[in-house]
Amino acid sequence: MMGRTIFIDPGRCIGCQACVSACRECDSHRGKSMIHLDYTDEGQSVASLPTVCMHCEDPVAPCAEVCPADAIPVTADGVVQQADTTRCIGCANCVNACPFGVPKIDLQAKLQMKCNLCYDRTAYGLAPMCATVCPTGALFYGTVEELQAERPGVQVADTFVFGESEVRTGVAMVVPADKVQWPVPGGLPVVEINGKDVRR
């Protein structure tokens, strides 16, 4: 994918939850947020990190690969969609397969729900709701070139290692150029919190 996409910049997140609130307004899942705000060192630090679907693309999104009902479509431009409600059987295979912990099962509806990159907006060139409202730019929507023009000295990571498996994603993490290791271990980049390198 890596044309116009979301770039997550953990060092800029202030935990305000504007992204969470904005996500609830999306027409495809009104009232439910598909973005999660994680606290990297709860009780010790205010550092937080927005978690959105990473839209895995190499070799194929793990959630779509393990779906027995073929309910998770992937668009031609690489966006991994939320499960088709007419096909999803609520088995939770996708939840267990996702290395980033993104899909959730709505137990009442017995359906999978996850971020679809606000495809009703991004397909027409508009930014996703979460990136539109983020006051600090922790969620940046655009191209790598636009990001680096605005934030000189940053690199982006779109390849992550989980044990012996390597996953390439369509959404990327912003990583300080002097801190990056390739590929990024454990699914999240090295971030600096209170002068210490921390990896979740």
Side-chain angles (χ1 to χ4, degrees), residues 105-151:
I105 295 292
D106 180 326
L107 295 175
Q108 189 173 4
K110 295 187 174 139
L111 292 171
Q112 177 256 50
M113 301 190 81
K114 72 165 206 61
C115 157
N116 67 356
L117 201 66
C118 282
Y119 201 64
D120 58 331
R121 295 175 56 85
T122 54
Y124 295 98
L126 300 172
M129 294 292 285
C130 58
T132 301
V133 302
C134 181
T136 62
L139 293 168
F140 178 93
Y141 183 72
T143 64
V144 175
E145 294 76 21
E146 289 168 342
L147 176 76
Q148 290 177 332
E150 185 180 299
R151 303 174 194 181

Side-chain angles (χ1 to χ4, degrees), residues 12 15 40-41 52 62-63 84 90 130 133 136 143 148 154 188 199:
R12 288 177 171 243
T40 56
D41 196 11
V52 300
C63 61
D84 179 343
C130 58
V133 302
T136 62
T143 64
Q148 290 177 332
V154 300
L188 292 174
R199 189 181 295 120

Side-chain angles (χ1 to χ4, degrees), residues 28-36 53 72 81-83 85 88 94-95 101-107 109-116:
S28 65
H29 50 81
R30 190 168 287 281
K32 293 179 190 273
S33 182
M34 298 295 109
I35 189 168
H36 317 292
C53 179
I72 303 172
Q81 297 288 326
Q82 180 173 308
T85 57
C88 180
C94 55
V95 174
V102 171
K104 303 296 178 206
I105 295 292
D106 180 326
L107 295 175
K110 295 187 174 139
L111 292 171
Q112 177 256 50
M113 301 190 81
K114 72 165 206 61
C115 157
N116 67 356

